[in-house]
Amino acid sequence: MSFDTVAVIGGGPGGLRAAHGIAEIGGTALLIEERDFLGGTPIAENYAGLTPHGEPARPQIQAMIDAVTASPGVQVLTSTVVTAVSGEPGAFTLTMRGPDGERQAECGAIIMATGFGHFDPGRETQMYGYYEFPDVITLSDLESMLSDHKVVRPSNGEPPKRVCFVQCVGSRDRHIGNEYCSKVCCGVASKEAIEVRQLVPDSKVYIFYIDMRMYGYWENEIYWPAQEKHHVQYVKGIISEVLAKGDRLLVRGEDTTMGRPMELEMDMVVLSVGMEPSPGTKKMARLLGVQQNKYGFVDAVKVPLDTVTTSREGVFACGAALGPADLEDTVSSAANAAMKAIAYLRSRAAAAAS
Amino acid sequence: MTQTDTGPGAPAEADARLKLSAAAGYADVPLAEKERLFDEVRADPRFGDYLYGCYECGICVAVCPSARFYDFSPRRIAQAAAREDAELVYQQMVEDIWECSQCFSCVRCPRGNNPGGLVTIMREVAINNGLASAKEALVGYSRIIYKIMSTGTQVSPDMLQEDAFPDWGPETADVSVNLDLWRRALPPETLHTTNTGWKVADSTLIELYLIWLHTGALDMIADVDPSLHAILTEVMEERLEEEGIEI
């Protein structure tokens, strides 16, 4: 390793794309992943299909992993965390702790691809009983069921007849402190709702929402088919609480466009939990000394036209480390970060030579 | 035919907490009957072209003339059907659908829905099933139906009485005083009539009557207004006899 290496921290879709991108344009990358496997959240949380089109997640992510591990320009370190950074832009030294103990590596630039974590629906003021009722689950819990092609109520193993999604759990909430929109949950919930309707055809599926944010082609590729072809019921109004009623769940809210309060019995309630910065994002941001916003995401300081440059020279960030992002955003900003990092190293080298 | 509807009634006695369904009322009508009627609406071949999915954006209400004067909302019509809410669809078939003027302004829906078309289907189902609301709504039209079927024209000059058409203004009263004179002042002789819109040949009248008879229009009138049907039958039987036509 040397100062013409780019260190990529995080081996999810963003980190994989960045590392592969660096290799593709002739650079060398050091990919550092805390977990003992690559692939990030889609693999860790057993995603079924990728939004929007629902291609099976595992083979798609595996192809990214294979591209990286097959690149001579990329060195991969798993089960490894960065514990310190020293030096200066263009000549950093990373201290890492891994399976073989502590080690150091030199790099000229760093890309943070440290991603997000899902909001913990047991936190704060949530009244949804996630830790109380087995049939209250999250988007990622359901995603995991979908990848096994088996949607059942955790309480009794029966297919649910009535399922509802509650949007904006942990997002757009001043009390919780996450005022932002998590951007992907509307699309993911709608995609999952379609899959539930397909796997349990006699089920009735509701989505309770504040606004449906199905930007771009998600509108006609997910939202319209969910409503028109799969008869998913979209009701504008957020659920205030989930209660037990017999062996079912009672959800309470307002059907705002109909102007009436409602209480409906459900077999399963799916909480559309939003995105928060992962512990790794917060920790690495502090360690690298980059500016974070009030939520803990990394600030891209030159937005809107430069989405990956951070407050610290030589340090770039991509994907959900920067804020809520879907996979398309993530791989796009990752490729952008790869390009910026290599351009940074080359411009320094050119300046040194002249 | 099942007589199902009871007119706008007291709030349902169903579980007060389950307001989504109980809000519709008509608890005395079995849910199965409401679902049967809704299934009939959905089975209509036009249904799929009239309802895709509803944004609940309200553009249909914004352009709806009826919504300005009545407690009528084409959005709610589309929503109730989209949500497969048989209770609410039933309520609308009893209370709402007769307030639509069928102008189809609502087709400017960005999703391509046609709430007015849904109302058309719901009206047909209401009539075919003899819902009391259909009869009530058609009572106002019985005079016009009688006029068309017995004379071959719709609105006749002598129907334009001030009490029946207050919205036509004070001139209605002035004109009705010397109606015959006003009519004879019109150049075409065929318009010198007061109890028909214009002169209609007997053969035309017979032809129209036979069309109504064979298309089942008369049966529908028999359903919703038996006394009107009886009068019409009597009047027309006489005419048919005069023309030597046997049915």
Side-chain angles (χ1 to χ4, degrees):
Chain A
M1 289 294 133
S2 67
F3 295 133
D4 58 12
T5 294
V6 179
V8 179
I9 305 174
L16 290 167
R17 184 69 197 94
H20 186 218
I22 290 161
E24 279 180 309
I25 52 177
T28 55
L30 172 64
L31 180 61
I32 306 156
E33 168 55 48
E34 184 175 14
R35 295 183 175 110
D36 61 0
F37 56 89
L38 293 175
T41 304
I43 298 302
E45 299 199 352
N46 198 15
Y47 282 14
L50 301 181
T51 308
H53 298 132
E55 301 93 343
R58 199 164 281 273
Q60 296 276 323
I61 303 293
Q62 189 59 47
M64 295 185 85
I65 296 170
D66 293 344
V68 164
T69 51
S71 295
V74 184
Q75 185 191 347
V76 177
L77 297 175
T78 52
S79 304
T80 300
V81 291
V82 177
T83 54
V85 60
S86 59
E88 58 188 50
F92 293 115
T93 300
L94 299 179
T95 306
M96 296 169 285
R97 197 178 57 243
D100 307 322
E102 200 169 274
R103 60 191 291 172
Q104 290 193 319
E106 292 173 338
C107 62
I110 298 169
I111 294 175
M112 292 182 66
T114 42
F116 74 100
H118 285 293
F119 175 75
D120 176 354
R123 207 180 97 196
E124 307 285 349
T125 58
Q126 295 302 308
M127 300 287 283
Y128 299 139
Y130 180 68
Y131 293 110
E132 188 179 353
F133 307 121
D135 295 333
V136 177
I137 62 175
T138 63
L139 279 184
S140 38
D141 296 332
L142 178 58
E143 194 68 39
S144 187
M145 282 190 202
L146 292 167
S147 44
D148 299 334
H149 305 289
K150 198 177 174 193
V151 174
V152 293
R153 301 176 67 190
S155 64
N156 62 7
E158 302 278 324
K161 288 197 173 59
R162 291 163 72 87
V163 179
C164 74
F165 292 77
V166 181
Q167 296 304 108
C168 302
V169 175
S171 304
R172 309 175 74 190
D173 190 322
R174 186 168 271 133
H175 296 294
I176 288 167
N178 294 348
E179 290 108 338
Y180 54 86
C181 164
S182 286
K183 216 169 173 182
V184 303
C185 335
C186 283
V188 173
S190 297
K191 182 213 72 151
E192 290 187 11
I194 291 173
E195 290 168 324
V196 170
R197 289 278 297 124
Q198 286 171 328
L199 284 170
V200 191
D202 65 346
S203 62
K204 192 138 183 159
V205 178
Y206 298 82
I207 295 182
F208 297 109
Y209 67 93
I210 301 176
D211 304 284
M212 285 311 293
R213 298 189 159 176
M214 309 291 284
Y215 50 88
Y217 300 121
W218 286 20
E219 181 74 25
N220 53 303
E221 291 179 357
I222 312 178
Y223 185 17
W224 286 20
Q227 211 178 16
E228 298 178 2
K229 192 168 161 217
H230 302 283
H231 302 288
V232 174
Q233 295 291 319
Y234 287 83
V235 179
K236 185 174 169 73
I238 244 16
I239 297 303
S240 61
E241 58 186 331
V242 179
L243 303 164
K245 192 182 183 197
D247 69 339
R248 299 181 104 185
L249 298 164
L250 191 71
V251 300
R252 182 175 284 168
E254 191 202 358
D255 185 337
T256 59
T257 57
M258 285 294 199
R260 57 192 183 184
M262 61 181 173
E263 288 191 357
L264 294 170
E265 285 182 33
M266 294 290 157
D267 295 316
M268 208 155 89
V269 173
V270 186
L271 306 178
S272 291
V273 285
M275 290 186 175
E276 292 187 325
S278 69
T281 290
K282 290 187 190 171
K283 202 164 67 183
M284 285 303 116
R286 277 196 303 273
L287 194 94
L288 297 171
V290 300
Q291 185 181 309
Q292 292 167 270
N293 64 20
K294 63 185 273 198
Y295 313 111
F297 289 110
V298 176
D299 256 341
V301 296
K302 292 186 176 176
V303 290
L305 299 183
D306 171 352
T307 56
V308 297
T309 295
T310 72
S311 63
R312 185 162 187 201
E313 188 186 330
V315 179
F316 304 91
C318 68
L322 292 162
D326 65 12
L327 279 168
E328 292 162 70
D329 290 344
T330 297
V331 295
S332 299
S333 63
N336 193 355
M339 183 272 287
K340 293 289 269 189
I342 290 294
Y344 174 72
L345 294 186
R346 288 182 184 167
S347 68
R348 282 183 61 87
S354 66
Chain B
M1 181 199 324
T2 320
Q3 177 60 44
T4 54
D5 107 70
T6 56
E13 287 175 1
D15 187 345
R17 291 170 306 160
L18 298 175
K19 288 180 176 161
L20 187 64
S21 53
Y26 307 104
D28 50 326
V29 179
L31 179 62
E33 175 61 10
K34 294 170 180 170
E35 282 172 348
R36 185 188 69 78
L37 291 167
F38 181 43
D39 285 344
E40 210 172 295
V41 171
R42 278 194 291 190
D44 189 284
R46 293 164 292 183
F47 186 83
D49 287 332
Y50 288 175
L51 180 66
Y52 295 95
C54 181
Y55 276 138
E56 309 182 351
C57 67
I59 196 171
C60 53
V61 175
V63 298
C64 173
S66 293
R68 299 201 172 197
F69 298 99
Y70 302 104
D71 182 16
F72 173 75
S73 162
R75 166 176 62 78
R76 285 170 61 92
I77 297 284
Q79 262 177 282
R83 294 190 182 184
E84 301 166 333
D85 187 340
E87 299 269 10
L88 186 53
V89 170
Y90 181 80
Q91 182 188 25
Q92 292 174 340
M93 284 171 68
V94 174
E95 297 176 18
D96 296 23
I97 54 173
W98 308 101
E99 287 166 350
C100 167
S101 64
Q102 293 282 281
C103 68
F104 299 102
S105 302
C106 49
V107 298
R108 69 176 287 186
C109 167
R111 290 287 280 277
N113 296 332
N114 181 351
L118 293 175
V119 167
T120 309
I121 298 173
M122 288 160 78
R123 284 182 177 182
E124 288 173 11
V125 171
I127 292 170
N128 289 337
N129 285 274
L131 263 61
S133 75
K135 296 182 185 181
E136 278 167 31
L138 292 177
V139 163
Y141 289 96
S142 60
R143 197 171 164 193
I144 291 170
I145 293 168
Y146 175 75
K147 204 82 186 180
I148 297 171
M149 294 212 162
S150 62
T151 70
T153 68
Q154 188 184 351
V155 180
S156 66
D158 64 358
M159 286 167 74
L160 301 180
Q161 301 297 322
E162 198 182 9
D163 57 343
F165 295 90
D167 52 327
W168 283 40
E171 291 80 5
T172 315
D174 298 342
V175 171
S176 65
V177 174
N178 292 307
L179 184 63
D180 183 54
L181 191 62
W182 284 107
R183 294 292 287 180
R184 276 189 285 122
L186 295 170
E189 273 188 29
T190 50
L191 294 182
H192 295 175
T193 55
T194 54
N195 62 355
T196 59
W198 57 87
K199 282 179 184 160
V200 179
D202 277 353
S203 58
T204 304
L205 202 51
I206 299 285
E207 202 174 335
L208 283 172
Y209 181 77
L210 292 174
I211 290 170
W212 288 317
L213 188 68
H214 290 298
T215 54
L218 276 178
D219 292 338
M220 285 168 74
I221 291 170
D223 276 348
V224 298
D225 195 339
S227 55
L228 176 66
H229 181 259
I231 297 168
L232 279 171
T233 314
E234 200 178 314
V235 169
M236 292 313 295
E237 268 172 3
E238 231 168 81
R239 282 181 184 270
L240 291 170
E241 210 175 288
E242 283 168 19
E243 297 292 320
I245 295 171
E246 277 183 41
I247 299 165

